[in-house]
Amino acid sequence: MTVDNVIPRADIVKHADRLGAEIKNITLSDDLSDEVIIAINRLLLEYKVIFFRDQGHLDNAQQRRFVLRLSSLIPNPTMVDTRGGLTVRKTLPDRACGHILNDDDIFSAGRPTISVLRGAAIPPFGGDIAWSSTAAAYLDLPDSLRMLADNLWAVRCAAFDHTATEEATEADKRALDNVSTGTIYETTHPIVCVHPETGERMLSLGRSVQSFVGLQRYPSQRLFELLQSYLTAPQNTLRWNWKSGDVAIWDNRATEPYPVKKIGSPHWAMDQLGIDAGVPHMKRLKSRTAEAA
């Protein structure tokens, strides 16, 4: 089966040279055939980020069922297997915590493989998101810098803490109690990795890199800025003009999404599916509570 036999190329509209495409004439649901689901996944691998307009029929429950349907046909032996398929990670409601887009999610078993974001009602201001192609950024590196990146490990340090807002319900607060630890974690990982399905080499940095193994803080910062410039280069990035009912699906293994403006609001519905194998090296450094004491 080829994508062209299921989704006509005329219904696939590219939005940038190196990533991003809008898929037309598809109504997302858990009733889609296996062939369409597989074609969607193949387009996701090809374009890294795909968009569907006019999906206003979806509510949170329907979106969740579609995500489960999508996950059931995405092969990846490294993912955690629950409910007979891939893990779907529920994001806490925005009224409890306005932190729904985080490319440095190192506190659980690993990053979500795919994210699905629906614009239920687009506000007049805020909510913009940009995506960078990590594969394109790697290809743009000059040979000498690419050789360095291939052998470079990054050190990340991030605090895992959430604070309930005034709008949080008691159920939300209990959910936050289960994840708020006030703990600071440190991880080390190679900044170049291989996509498990496409075989592409990717430059993966994230925003919480503190330094690189073997380098002091200042040269690490300058090197980070240099490498990051390839990720944020205009030819490697994409922004989407959101309308109500739009759905975006992106491959977290091949992109780095980041909010251009704050997106913590009830106008957005997000699901993340599939968890990769754990971060190579992780250790708990200290607790904020203990440090304050």
Side-chain angles (χ1 to χ4, degrees), residues 48-87:
K48 322 303 182 190
V49 189
I50 55 177
F51 304 94
F52 300 83
R53 291 209 188 270
D54 303 320
Q55 305 298 318
H57 62 284
L58 291 175
D59 58 22
N60 290 348
Q62 292 169 329
Q63 176 174 322
R64 187 67 46 79
R65 289 198 296 271
F66 165 71
V67 170
L68 286 170
R69 183 79 179 83
L70 180 63
S71 71
S72 67
L73 292 182
I74 297 179
N76 191 331
T78 66
M79 295 178 183
V80 177
D81 189 2
T82 63
R83 284 187 278 178
L86 305 182
T87 301

Side-chain angles (χ1 to χ4, degrees), residues 3-15 21-26 43 46-47 51:
V3 171
D4 293 353
N5 293 334
V6 180
I7 301 176
R9 283 288 163 177
D11 290 343
I12 303 170
V13 181
K14 292 183 63 175
H15 277 262
E22 177 186 350
I23 315 302
K24 296 179 176 292
N25 299 319
I26 287 184
L43 290 172
E46 180 178 354
Y47 293 104
F51 304 94

Side-chain angles (χ1 to χ4, degrees), residues 90-127:
K90 181 179 180 181
T91 302
L92 290 169
D94 293 331
R95 64 178 181 273
C97 174
H99 198 82
I100 68 170
L101 182 64
N102 182 10
D103 72 335
D104 290 328
D105 188 6
I106 63 174
F107 312 117
S108 61
R111 292 176 62 183
T113 300
I114 292 173
S115 293
V116 180
L117 181 64
R118 173 171 54 90
I122 306 303
F125 303 102

Side-chain angles (χ1 to χ4, degrees), residues 151-208:
N151 295 283
L152 199 60
W153 284 60
V155 179
R156 292 190 188 188
C157 187
F160 183 26
D161 203 1
H162 294 283
T163 302
T165 64
E166 294 181 358
E167 295 81 9
T169 65
E170 289 302 317
D172 294 334
K173 292 177 181 178
R174 287 194 297 270
L176 283 171
D177 287 340
N178 293 331
V179 298
S180 281
T181 65
T183 300
I184 299 175
Y185 287 88
E186 180 181 273
T187 67
T188 59
H189 64 91
I191 68 167
V192 174
C193 54
V194 178
H195 196 288
E197 294 187 68
T198 67
E200 295 173 295
R201 298 182 73 82
M202 301 168 294
L203 177 66
S204 300
L205 291 175
R207 295 185 300 276
S208 64

